[in-house]
Amino acid sequence: MIESRLHDLLVSHGVKIEAKSSEEIIKGLKKNDAFLEQLELFVKCLKAIRVDRISEEEVVNRYNPDRRNLNIV
């Protein structure tokens, strides 16, 4: 399984693996500004798709980083 292979490789390179609860992961993500910015952009895109019924291409054009200074990853 990929997950166990990744675990083994990380441990073999000295990475300490600590299991975290879902709550701990969410708390950490909420502290990450880049994550929150991407989440906000994602929600905007979903709203545009649903409300305006726009296509994938129209979403990219609407939220183009060159025009709107937004980062799409």
Side-chain angles (χ1 to χ4, degrees):
M1 178 180 224
I2 293 175
E3 187 176 332
S4 63
R5 175 76 175 129
L6 176 60
H7 178 274
D8 294 345
L9 285 170
L10 289 170
V11 170
S12 73
H13 284 86
V15 176
K16 184 178 176 184
I17 307 295
E18 293 181 36
K20 299 211 181 268
S21 69
S22 297
E23 291 81 20
E24 290 176 300
I25 293 169
I26 291 170
K27 185 178 178 181
L29 287 173
K30 286 182 177 179
K31 290 181 181 179
N32 184 326
D33 289 337
F35 174 78
L36 293 176
E37 289 171 10
Q38 293 301 313
L39 178 61
E40 184 178 307
L41 177 60
F42 179 72
V43 170
K44 285 180 183 180
C45 290
L46 286 177
K47 286 180 182 177
I49 292 167
R50 199 170 120 228
V51 174
D52 299 336
R53 297 185 178 264
I54 63 176
S55 68
E56 179 181 348
E57 183 179 343
E58 291 169 315
V59 169
V60 171
N61 289 336
R62 182 179 290 190
Y63 298 104
N64 184 331
D66 296 331
R67 286 186 4 199
R68 305 286 304 247
N69 293 326
L70 298 174
N71 295 318
I72 297 177
V73 250

